[in-house]
Amino acid sequence: MVFVRRTPKRTIITALGKVDKNELWISLVDRPEETRRVLEGHPGDYNTESNNMVLAGFATPQFSPDGRRVYFAAETWVTAAAIHMLDLTTGKTRFLFPGLGLEVIRRGKYKGFLIGTKDPITENRGRIEVYWLLDPDGSEVRRIGETEADVTRFKDLIKERSAAH
């Protein structure tokens, strides 16, 4: 199990203000006494090209199917979260994309891939959220759609295909 631990005595400033959800911890279900912190947030800047991007306000941590990575959101900007990946073998994090959320695919052809809600884009019809199929490193594979119904159809399709094989 991976979870976020609050740090009320050690807040970090992001574009959303002071946040206190700044640690990721892992607890093995069969050995809860071995719970350990795997990531501690830190202040920084807001540039995605920086090696010192703010890393704080953690949410929605999810293991990769092989348990070697943890994907999570950080409250970096006002308009979007910073979606990151923590490599548990090296302890290093990598920024993947600005977005509104992510889900790790657990089974089938795309096992280990991500469904990411990318930062809203502006088109001639206004701002829209776009759901993408992303590879485990966060690169776009294909556009899924703009609604939860599109995501549900995509998930149903990959379930049907994996059941047929």
Side-chain angles (χ1 to χ4, degrees), residues 60-62 64 69-73 84-85 96 102 104 112 114 136:
T60 64
Q62 300 169 58
S64 61
R69 296 175 169 194
V70 173
Y71 296 94
F72 63 97
H84 292 270
M85 180 273 297
L96 299 179
L102 81 147
V104 177
L114 311 170

Side-chain angles (χ1 to χ4, degrees), residues 118-123 125-130 143 146:
K118 301 279 285 238
D119 195 14
I121 60 173
T122 303
E123 293 185 348
R125 56 195 161 118
R127 286 180 64 135
I128 60 168
E129 294 176 14
V130 178
R143 184 177 173 144
E146 301 170 9

Side-chain angles (χ1 to χ4, degrees), residues 11-151:
T11 60
I12 297 173
I13 296 175
T14 71
L16 293 170
K18 290 181 181 180
V19 296
D20 70 352
K21 294 179 265 173
N22 300 319
E23 292 181 349
L24 285 181
W25 287 68
I26 291 178
S27 178
L28 302 174
V29 176
D30 59 340
R31 290 178 281 173
E33 68 280 357
E34 294 180 26
T35 299
R36 64 186 171 102
R37 183 178 65 201
V38 292
L39 183 63
E40 185 174 14
H42 59 77
D45 58 43
Y46 301 97
N47 181 350
T48 60
E49 302 299 318
S50 169
N51 289 332
N52 189 38
M53 199 163 104
V54 66
L55 193 63
F58 303 147
T60 64
Q62 300 169 58
F63 280 111
S64 61
D66 64 8
R68 294 182 183 163
R69 296 175 169 194
V70 173
Y71 296 94
F72 63 97
E75 294 179 8
T76 302
W77 306 288
V78 173
T79 58
I83 308 300
H84 292 270
M85 180 273 297
L86 168 65
D87 183 322
L88 292 171
T89 58
T90 65
K92 298 199 183 297
T93 60
R94 188 159 51 103
F95 169 73
L96 299 179
F97 61 91
L100 303 174
L102 81 147
E103 178 182 343
V104 177
I105 298 173
R106 303 262 164 230
R107 295 177 192 84
K109 174 182 178 180
Y110 295 110
K111 180 178 178 178
F113 281 54
L114 311 170
I115 295 175
T117 311
K118 301 279 285 238
D119 195 14
I121 60 173
T122 303
E123 293 185 348
N124 59 357
R125 56 195 161 118
R127 286 180 64 135
I128 60 168
E129 294 176 14
V130 178
Y131 295 88
W132 290 88
L133 174 64
L134 307 163
D135 71 16
D137 293 318
S139 296
E140 293 175 359
V141 174
R142 74 174 245 207
R143 184 177 173 144
I144 294 172
E146 301 170 9
T147 68
E148 288 286 331
D150 293 332
V151 174

